[in-house]
Amino acid sequence: MKKPFAAAADENKEAIAALLLTELKDNRDLLEIGSGTGQHAVYFSKLMPHLTWHCSDQSHQIAGIQLWLESAGLKNTAAVFVLDVSQDWPQQSYDAAYAANIAHIMHWSQIEDLFLGLSTVLKQGACFYLYGPFSFDGQFSSQSNHDFDHFLRQQDPDSGLRDKNNLDELALKNGLIAATSWALPANNHILSWKKT
Ligand SMILES: C[S@@+](CC[C@H](N)C(=O)[O-])C[C@H]1O[C@@H](n2cnc3c(N)ncnc32)[C@H](O)[C@@H]1O
C-alpha cells in the first residue's frame, strides 16, 4: 500500500501551523479527530516536539495514517486509534483537540456526537480547533464556498458547510464556549471553543 495523499490537507498547512504553534505552546496531549491521511499529524507534530499528537479516525483510514506515522518516525506521535465520533470515545483526557475538514462531511447528528464526545475528553480550559470552510450568520464568505456547499449537498443532502452560529450553540450545550475565529487563505477558517 502506498501512503495516501490528500491535496486539501496540503493546502494551508503552513498557515494552520503558524496559528497552532502559538495556541498549543503550553499543551502536552492533543487529540486529532478524522486524521484522514495522517499528513497534518506528521507535519504539525514535527514542528511541535513538546506535544504528543494522538491521531484517530474511522477504521478504514487507520492503515494509511499508520504509514505516514511510521515513515516519519517521530517520537511525539502516539499510536493511531479508531474513533468514530458516534461510538465509544477514549477514556484519556486531552489538553487540546483538533480536526480539519470534517464538519462539512459529517451529518449534523454526527457533529452533535462530536461535541458531546469532546465534552468528555477535554480537560477544563482545553480548546477544540476546527479547520475548514464555514458560513457566518447564514452567509457564505465566497462564491467558491457557496458552490462547494451546493456540490456537497448534491452528493449527500445531510452534508454541507456549517454555520458558526449553529456550531457555537451546539458547543455551548456541551459546555464549550466560542473562543476565537481566524480567517485563513482560500476562504477557510479555524474556529475554536474552550471547555469550561
Ligand atoms: C475530508 S476528510 C479530512 C481528513 C483530514 N482531516 C484532512 O484535512 O485531510 C474527512 C475525515 O472525516 C472522517 N470522518 C467522517 N465521519 C467520521 C466519524 N463519524 N467519526 C470520525 N471521523 C469521521 C473521515 O474518515 C475522513 O478522514
Side-chain angles (χ1 to χ4, degrees):
M1 179 182 173
K2 260 179 64 177
K3 275 197 302 186
F5 178 80
D10 230 30
E11 183 182 77
N12 278 345
K13 65 178 190 229
E14 292 89 357
I16 302 171
L19 196 148
L20 292 183
L21 269 167
T22 310
E23 284 290 307
L24 303 175
K25 63 181 186 334
D26 298 322
N27 293 159
R28 286 203 320 204
D29 285 287
L30 175 140
L31 170 64
E32 183 181 10
I33 296 139
S35 297
T37 58
Q39 286 163 247
H40 276 179
V42 166
Y43 186 78
F44 298 143
S45 54
K46 200 179 281 181
L47 295 171
M48 292 180 257
H50 67 283
L51 187 80
T52 301
W53 195 279
H54 301 256
C55 290
S56 73
D57 208 318
Q58 293 176 302
S59 54
H60 64 276
Q61 300 279 23
I62 299 298
I65 297 167
Q66 258 160 357
L67 286 179
W68 275 87
L69 296 184
E70 279 164 18
S71 72
L74 298 168
K75 288 197 175 75
N76 62 324
T77 50
V80 55
F81 61 94
V82 175
L83 173 58
D84 181 311
V85 295
S86 301
Q87 293 177 17
D88 291 338
W89 280 69
Q91 297 297 314
Q92 191 177 339
S93 54
Y94 299 90
D95 304 307
Y98 167 78
N101 293 319
I102 64 166
H104 55 273
I105 302 293
M106 288 181 179
H107 295 180
W108 185 253
S109 64
Q110 293 170 318
I111 299 177
E112 289 176 327
D113 294 336
L114 168 68
F115 277 94
L116 178 63
L118 286 168
S119 74
T120 68
V121 299
L122 286 179
K123 294 178 187 168
Q124 194 177 9
C127 282
F128 171 48
Y129 301 91
L130 180 62
Y131 168 80
F134 303 95
S135 63
F136 294 84
D137 296 323
Q139 304 292 315
F140 297 108
S141 54
S142 67
Q143 184 62 36
S144 62
N145 278 1
H146 174 276
D147 295 346
F148 186 41
D149 178 69
H150 183 68
F151 168 79
L152 289 165
R153 289 178 198 273
Q154 272 187 329
Q155 317 293 310
D156 177 354
D158 292 325
S159 67
L161 269 61
R162 307 299 172 188
D163 196 85
K164 180 177 174 348
N165 291 344
N166 296 334
L167 293 170
D168 287 349
E169 196 180 320
L170 175 61
L172 196 58
K173 274 191 206 153
N174 289 285
L176 284 92
I177 52 164
T180 316
S181 162
W182 293 271
L184 271 75
N187 303 301
N188 287 292
H189 282 76
I190 291 187
L191 308 181
S192 76
W193 297 269
K194 184 183 273 212
K195 171 89 186 288
T196 53

